Amino acid sequence: MTTLTKAARGALWWITSVMGDHDYARYVAHLQRRHPDAVIPTEREYWRNRHAEADANPGPRCC
């Protein structure tokens, strides 16, 4: 793999991480590791709950 390919993949990984693309997968891995008996929500339920909590308690943010 060339250096340019490695750099492009690294940049793509970083951008998708910042945008939250890996959040659901990370959450599912956490549940499976720390709470094996917990019900795993669907991805749609995860995002709905995440945004509902943010809207209910926005905290410090610009928008």
Side-chain angles (χ1 to χ4, degrees), residues 3 5 11 13 24 29-30 33-34 47 50 54 57 59:
T3 303
T5 304
W13 175 86
Y24 177 71
H30 164 77
R33 187 175 54 253
R34 301 288 183 186
W47 287 109
R50 181 174 172 175
N57 185 14

Side-chain angles (χ1 to χ4, degrees), residues 8-39:
R9 285 186 179 183
L12 180 62
W13 175 86
W14 183 81
I15 291 169
T16 57
S17 293
V18 169
M19 298 302 292
D21 292 355
H22 305 289
D23 289 355
Y24 177 71
R26 222 177 6 242
Y27 179 68
V28 169
H30 164 77
L31 283 180
Q32 291 172 337
R33 187 175 54 253
R34 301 288 183 186
H35 311 282
D37 297 333
V39 176

